[in-house]
Amino acid sequence: IDLAWINTDGVHFTRSTDGGATFSTPIVVPTDFSKNLQNNLLSMVVDPVGNIDLLWYTVLDLADTTVAYNICRSTDSGTTFTTPVQVTTGPQPITGSNVPTIVGRSDGKLIVTWIDASSNVLAEATSDGVTFTAPTTIAPTVPGATGEQAVADSAGNIYVFWETAPTVSSCSISFSSSTDGVSYSAGKTISGASGACNSQPSASVNASGNLAVTWVADSTSLFFTLSLDGGTTFATPISIATPAPPTSDEVVAGLDGGIYVVWTANGTTEFASSPAPGAPFSSAPTALGISIAAGSTSLAVDACSNVTVFGSNGVTAYQRSNDGGATFSPPTPLSQSNQDFERQLAADKFGNVNFTWAVDGPEEVNFARLPTVCHIP
């Protein structure tokens, strides 16, 4: 289990090799955060060959308007990290807008994608975490470009999504793909006529290559599409029943072949699922008893269709379904503090679900594990 966080002195990293019972003494990647008014943006990718890559930003000016995005890599299980490399600069990060995404390919290549100040959708790649390719323009000067994100499948294919918005009432979800992380297909619209303004894309790809995408339409509807051929074609978008207004949608293409979606609507966390590609979604969503946060990873599904949603009901808590989302247990608290934040969830290949969160007062980083109940012969 790899865990990283930011303190005023730099980026901290620790690892557990015994299921979270103990963690190594944290090491620090020294970083100057003296100009940061907030320092809670940190991304980590562990690729299939074991490289650990970290991405974060530092503020460059006292006016707090320009930031640098930095990456470092460990090839020795987090014992040491490379000297951070600045890959790009930009304005203060806005969630869903200009925050770069990192994904790891099966060959150890790291891909960085982002939207720059000129609304170009860009990508860079590195094989060692030190030397990066020149930026590749996936899509130039995209009107109203926002919401960029990327996912990678087990074969190393990269799928990039973003919102295109020529006007505030005309928005669509765009898509591009790459087989090598360097050359990308021409951008195309995948949201069809689902709404006049489609925004907030969320994407997931499973081990079979099923590529699932959700988005919000006109701030009133939630839509879904699926590609079974690596993004060459996408199914006609279908609507997922939801109260209005939906937001913070998160989709998982499950190892079991199902599609699972969690989102917030009218202050309530909602859940819906489809048992197989092309099968209908739940006729009505299930209202959960915990809240989720935009930008956090809140949903995990194992190969046995066990579903876990992580969030808060006043304190840090989770809800669990052992029947594919048909029913959920009541919220199970993991904390006694109402000052928790930065909640994150990660499921491992065996189905164990790992939770981490920070506490403000006293300042702590906490961890808990929900052991797997998934046993497939």
Side-chain angles (χ1 to χ4, degrees), residues 163 168-173 190-202 213-224 237-240 242-249 263-264:
E163 177 188 339
V168 294
S169 60
S170 176
C171 325
S172 57
I173 307 302
I190 64 170
S191 48
S194 53
C197 187
N198 304 285
S199 62
Q200 303 177 45
S202 174
V213 191
T214 58
W215 64 88
V216 172
D218 301 326
S219 299
T220 59
S221 305
L222 187 65
F223 276 82
F224 164 82
I238 61 173
S239 178
I240 301 174
T242 178
T247 187
S248 305
D249 52 304
W263 69 98
T264 299

Side-chain angles (χ1 to χ4, degrees), residues 43-44 49 54 90 92 156-157 202 234 279 289 297 302 309:
S43 299
M44 176 167 58
V49 296
L54 301 171
Q92 266 283 7
N157 299 304
S202 174
F234 283 85
T297 305
D302 66 24
V309 181

Side-chain angles (χ1 to χ4, degrees), residues 286-291 307-313 315-323 326-334 355 370:
T286 300
L288 301 182
I290 58 176
S291 61
V307 182
T308 306
V309 181
F310 185 44
S312 169
N313 66 339
V315 299
T316 295
Y318 70 89
Q319 285 188 254
R320 178 82 162 183
S321 172
N322 293 326
D323 54 15
T327 60
F328 280 85
S329 65
T332 300
L334 293 171
F355 307 105
L370 181 62

Side-chain angles (χ1 to χ4, degrees), residues 128-153:
D128 59 7
V130 177
T131 303
F132 287 77
T133 62
T136 297
T137 300
I138 299 174
T141 57
V142 176
T146 188
E148 179 277 324
Q149 66 167 279
V151 294
D153 66 18

Side-chain angles (χ1 to χ4, degrees), residues 15-33:
R15 164 172 277 207
S16 173
T17 58
D18 55 11
T22 61
F23 282 84
S24 62
T25 301
I27 68 166
V28 181
V29 180
T31 305
D32 180 9
F33 288 117

Side-chain angles (χ1 to χ4, degrees), residues 11 45 56 65 71 166 168 204 323 332 335 350 370:
V11 180
V45 164
W56 68 95
T65 58
I71 285 177
V168 294
S204 175
D323 54 15
T332 300
S335 167
F350 302 108
L370 181 62

Side-chain angles (χ1 to χ4, degrees), residues 236-277:
T236 300
I238 61 173
S239 178
I240 301 174
T242 178
T247 187
S248 305
D249 52 304
E250 183 179 341
V251 63
V252 168
L255 296 172
D256 60 351
I259 306 296
Y260 302 86
V261 188
V262 67
W263 69 98
T264 299
N266 198 26
T268 300
T269 299
E270 305 282 354
F271 171 87
S273 63
S274 167

